[in-house]
Amino acid sequence: MDSDEDFQRALALSLQDTQATRKAKAKADVIVIDDSDDENDINLQSDREFEESLRKAVEESKLESSQPSPPRRDTSSPDIVEGAPPPAEIKNTDPSTSSFLSERAQLERERLARQKRHLSTSQSFQESEPPLKKSNKRESSPPPKRALPYNATASTSQNSNQGPEMFWDGAIRQTANIDAEKDKDHKPVFRLSDILAPTDELAFAIISTYALDIGWLYSLFPPSVPVILVTQPDPSGNASIHAMLPNWIKTTPFLRNGYGAMHCKLLLLFYKSGRLRIALPTANFVPYDWRDIENTVWVQDIPPKKNPQGHSARASDFSSILQRVLIALQVRQALRAHIVGDHPNLPLQSIEDLGTRWDWSKVKVHLIPCMAGKYEGWPEVLRNGHTRLMKAIREANARAGPNRDVMLECQGSSVGTYSTQWLNEFFHSGLGESAQQWLDQPKARRSKLAFPPVKIIFPSLKTVRASRGGELGGGTMFCRRSQWSGAKFPRELFHDSNSKRGGILMHSKMIIATFKPKAGLGFSSKAKGKSRRKNPYSSEEEEQDEDEVKIVEEGIDETVCGWAYVGSANFTPSAWGTLSGSAFNPVLNITNYELGVLLPLRSEAEANDIACFERPPRKYDLKEDVPWMQDESAILAQAI
């Protein structure tokens, strides 16, 4: 059994090791991810600031270790596992032998040993497209910045000098960025410090991120606040749980054969007042993402229920879906480890408390999870990926229906390997139409379809060169020559990604769907008996019963003119999944873990307001334009 002094020495070595790693990686102020989507870190703290945070952390550890151990709880509770792969490394958590804190020194030594074999936890992991190799990668970056905002949904957030701004109706804003052009940067923004505030009122936090600067992130929280951190597993892809720093537990979900990325970005902040704040940023928890590049964040405050009571979970319920996400991310086991360790009085005692102790009635967005795995059968297929997107569109009454055309504008920082079949597969879900209809179509027909009305929004080479960071700032954007030069690659769908705030590059991931009336209606609602409509999969028209027309129109809100998605998912098959099988037995395969929200749009002005990119996006001139390809940049290569 390790003493408190052992633990303090282990902590000091860990933080010093993190400091050394950050110093080595600050070379040329460049962030480089090899071939993927997310970013690394730049050290924002001076040596003096770092040493001060180290001193405070050790003093806090001494203070906590001097307090009597809290009462222990029975570890035989059945809620320690539920249908997820068993954690690979919960160690020394037997409450009958010692406190969870005193056992962290051994775990810390094991973590340091693993660091010598693998990359530091402060390094960035990354997703390649398709991610068919196990790798821990780095990344490249621009200069320092500040940014634009955005209150998308009808937010009644209040700004008061008496306290932090609240978002009881939800808000979508851009992150602050000092390089945003002043005459274009006129909306409110989100800074991470604003989202966390007031930190002295924090009681507990759950964080999920892909890239991570642990020293920087740890410094943003009071050392006494218990935290669960979800991040990328090691190259084996095994689920794991272990103590990381004082009061911090790290957990990683399972990735089949180590392929793919735990790409979710999530903050659940529990305050002493009982309030819960949920935030879904497109930014990783590294300084670069909150300072040097543009990201988007959805935030909503959730009040506690006055009379907590049982909650009958429904598949479409926001809190129920959030519970499933946390279970898939191994948070249930980490929560249990905290409770049976040193924090028996957490405001969240079980994952199910989310549905019973907080009032989610004002949440109007729909949660869209993409959890890595293979799903078979309609009940499972409809819970994840682009088929979950389809279901959410229907729940929001945001289908275009047969009388309106749809255009999808898909913006992100990573380009996928696109086939006409996958683009049409995704587009079909984007219509809000049943995936069963898609799978009913013959495979030969599906493979020969024309490209659907989709605009793929990705920065061109000249946009990156003209940006404030130039090519050194393009290390978080990913497209490969082998993709772009493919014989059947949809180059004609590409449009430039230009921020509405001037010459800054964007790491946001958005989809904006807009509807417009068809030039000629496919059927007349006044027709009797039979009508005709265009078959979306062929040039033929088909007869349709009037009763069937009425069924098709059900659930369509004519006041909805589109929808928007904001989240971690790039427009790639790895993120959204690929559908196969039959209409009787569908199969969905997803490589990454992703999370986002969907909301209906009621005007073109609202679509323009929410979009972080200039609309309409400029179409590539294929005689002059090519996408930015970081692995072809000599400037970036020299900086690395």
Side-chain angles (χ1 to χ4, degrees):
M1 191 61 60
D2 298 299
S3 68
D4 292 335
E5 291 183 359
D6 289 336
F7 171 68
Q8 291 159 20
R9 284 195 296 271
L11 170 62
L13 287 172
S14 175
L15 291 179
Q16 288 168 0
D17 183 72
T18 299
Q19 180 190 23
T21 302
R22 289 208 314 268
K23 286 181 178 178
K25 292 182 346 186
K27 178 184 177 183
D29 197 33
V30 170
I31 293 190
V32 179
I33 301 182
D34 170 26
D35 192 21
S36 173
D37 165 31
D38 285 299
E39 301 77 18
N40 224 336
D41 51 84
I42 300 175
N43 184 10
L44 287 184
Q45 293 179 307
S46 66
D47 291 345
R48 182 178 302 173
E49 291 171 326
F50 183 85
E51 293 299 333
E52 178 65 14
S53 67
L54 173 62
R55 182 187 63 78
K56 289 181 179 179
V58 173
E59 288 178 355
E60 183 70 23
S61 174
K62 290 179 180 178
L63 178 62
E64 289 185 355
S65 64
S66 67
Q67 302 299 318
S69 298
R72 301 295 172 187
R73 298 194 174 198
D74 180 15
T75 58
S76 61
S77 170
D79 76 347
I80 197 166
V81 290
E82 178 188 295
E89 43 179 298
I90 300 182
K91 301 180 181 180
N92 298 324
T93 56
D94 182 359
S96 65
T97 57
S98 66
S99 75
F100 191 65
L101 177 63
S102 65
E103 290 155 358
R104 289 180 179 168
Q106 175 61 29
L107 295 178
E108 181 61 24
R109 280 195 291 271
E110 293 174 3
R111 189 183 75 81
L112 292 172
R114 285 195 300 272
Q115 272 188 334
K116 295 178 181 179
R117 299 191 303 269
H118 307 297
L119 291 177
S120 162
T121 50
S122 65
Q123 287 179 312
S124 157
F125 296 91
Q126 113 183 54
E127 156 203 9
S128 55
E129 179 54 50
L132 296 180
K133 53 187 176 184
K134 307 178 190 179
S135 60
N136 295 326
K137 303 171 185 175
R138 302 169 310 154
E139 95 199 39
S140 93
S141 91
K145 335 311 183 186
R146 204 200 77 204
L148 147 82
Y150 184 136
N151 281 0
T153 50
S155 173
T156 57
S157 58
Q158 313 230 342
N159 195 355
S160 168
N161 293 328
Q162 299 178 353
E165 192 173 8
M166 296 294 160
F167 305 94
W168 300 112
D169 294 312
I172 295 176
R173 298 180 178 180
Q174 297 304 105
T175 52
N177 192 295
I178 61 175
D179 278 341
E181 296 179 12
K182 303 306 179 185
D183 60 337
K184 297 181 179 181
D185 191 22
H186 55 276
K187 293 182 179 180
V189 298
F190 277 133
R191 293 175 174 82
L192 184 53
S193 57
D194 297 331
I195 295 173
L196 297 176
T199 55
D200 59 348
E201 289 297 314
L202 279 171
F204 177 47
I206 298 173
I207 306 170
S208 178
T209 185
Y210 176 62
L212 172 66
D213 182 339
I214 186 56
W216 172 77
L217 182 60
Y218 182 71
S219 72
L220 301 179
F221 288 82
S224 61
V225 175
V227 173
I228 292 174
L229 176 66
V230 184
T231 190
Q232 178 82 359
D234 67 28
S236 72
N238 290 329
S240 68
I241 299 175
H242 64 265
M244 191 177 192
L245 290 168
N247 302 306
W248 284 55
I249 292 179
K250 175 184 172 182
T251 182
T252 65
F254 176 71
L255 280 172
R256 290 176 295 176
N257 302 314
Y259 299 144
M262 200 308 297
H263 204 243
C264 292
K265 287 85 172 173
L266 170 67
L267 267 176
L268 288 177
L269 302 170
F270 299 82
Y271 292 87
K272 295 174 184 177
S273 64
R275 172 173 62 98
L276 167 61
R277 171 168 286 182
I278 178 171
L280 268 65
T282 63
N284 291 286
F285 289 98
V286 295
Y288 171 74
D289 274 25
W290 295 89
R291 184 197 66 193
D292 300 332
I293 201 165
E294 189 170 359
N295 275 284
T296 309
V297 192
W298 170 78
V299 172
Q300 184 150 353
D301 289 297
I302 314 297
K305 284 185 178 180
K306 294 181 180 179
N307 298 305
Q309 55 187 357
H311 173 261
S312 56
R314 294 180 292 112
S316 60
D317 181 84
F318 187 100
S319 65
S320 298
I321 296 174
L322 180 58
Q323 291 172 48
R324 287 198 292 105
V325 169
L326 294 178
I327 291 170
L329 296 180
Q330 293 286 101
V331 171
R332 182 191 289 278
Q333 290 86 341
L335 179 63
R336 186 63 182 163
H338 259 318
I339 291 172
V340 301
D342 295 327
H343 301 284
N345 299 314
L346 291 180
L348 186 72
Q349 289 287 299
S350 72
I351 298 297
E352 289 72 25
D353 282 351
L354 284 170
T356 59
R357 297 184 58 186
W358 284 272
D359 181 3
W360 300 83
S361 60
K362 298 190 78 173
V363 177
K364 304 305 179 185
V365 298
H366 298 257
L367 196 59
I368 313 294
C370 305
M371 298 290 103
K374 180 179 180 180
Y375 303 95
E376 297 188 51
W378 287 115
E380 293 300 315
V381 164
L382 293 175
R383 289 183 166 200
N384 288 284
H386 68 73
T387 42
R388 165 59 194 159
L389 177 73
M390 175 274 294
K391 193 169 184 292
I393 291 169
R394 299 173 77 92
E395 291 166 358
N397 292 328
R399 294 168 57 218
N403 292 339
R404 298 184 288 183
D405 288 324
V406 180
M407 170 60 72
L408 300 186
E409 299 170 5
C410 305
Q411 179 257 356
S413 59
S414 188
V415 170
T417 302
Y418 303 123
S419 66
T420 182
Q421 177 162 330
W422 186 81
L423 289 170
N424 278 282
E425 175 186 318
F426 185 94
F427 183 77
H428 190 82
S429 287
L431 295 174
E433 300 302 329
S434 170
Q436 186 171 357
Q437 297 177 15
W438 168 257
L439 291 173
D440 272 339
Q441 301 298 317
K443 290 183 180 179
R445 179 184 295 180
R446 281 186 266 155
S447 65
K448 296 178 182 179
L449 291 173
F451 292 127
V454 170
K455 296 179 181 179
I456 301 173
I457 301 174
F458 185 81
S460 66
L461 174 61
K462 65 182 179 183
T463 289
V464 172
R465 285 177 171 171
S467 70
R468 293 296 296 270
E471 292 188 34
L472 292 180
T476 66
M477 312 292 163
F478 303 97
C479 178
R480 298 191 300 272
R481 177 67 63 179
S482 59
Q483 294 171 312
W484 181 251
S485 300
K488 297 182 179 181
F489 193 74
R491 289 176 286 275
E492 61 269 36
L493 302 185
F494 272 67
H495 293 68
D496 212 351
S497 181
N498 299 111
S499 170
K500 293 192 299 187
R501 300 158 69 197
I504 50 177
L505 297 176
M506 295 178 287
H507 185 257
S508 298
K509 292 98 169 81
M510 280 192 182
I511 301 175
I512 303 292
T514 52
F515 308 155
K516 66 178 182 179
K518 288 184 182 294
L521 296 183
F523 65 88
S524 170
S525 59
K526 298 181 180 179
K528 294 183 179 180
K530 299 286 185 180
S531 62
R532 301 189 70 81
R533 68 169 177 177
K534 183 85 173 283
N535 185 327
Y537 302 103
S538 72
S539 59
E540 303 172 356
E541 289 189 339
E542 297 176 344
E543 286 191 346
Q544 183 179 24
D545 289 332
E546 186 174 341
D547 289 342
E548 183 183 348
V549 172
K550 293 178 180 177
I551 293 173
V552 168
E553 290 180 310
E554 283 180 0
I556 298 174
D557 185 347
E558 294 291 344
T559 68
V560 173
C561 72
W563 53 264
Y565 166 88
V566 176
S568 67
N570 281 296
F571 185 56
T572 67
S574 293
W576 288 100
T578 55
L579 191 62
S580 60
S582 66
F584 178 75
N585 186 37
V587 177
L588 181 70
N589 272 284
I590 301 177
T591 304
N592 294 348
Y593 290 90
E594 311 279 1
L595 193 61
V597 293
L598 174 138
L599 62 152
L601 301 174
R602 300 194 178 271
S603 68
E604 183 71 14
E606 188 177 18
N608 288 333
D609 189 45
I610 288 180
C612 60
F613 52 89
E614 291 183 354
R615 300 185 69 238
R618 182 189 71 84
K619 188 173 183 178
Y620 277 25
D621 180 345
L622 295 181
K623 294 180 180 178
E624 300 179 359
D625 287 317
V626 293
W628 160 252
M629 304 176 197
Q630 66 159 265
D631 57 357
E632 295 186 4
S633 169
I635 294 175
L636 199 58
Q638 289 174 3
I640 300 172

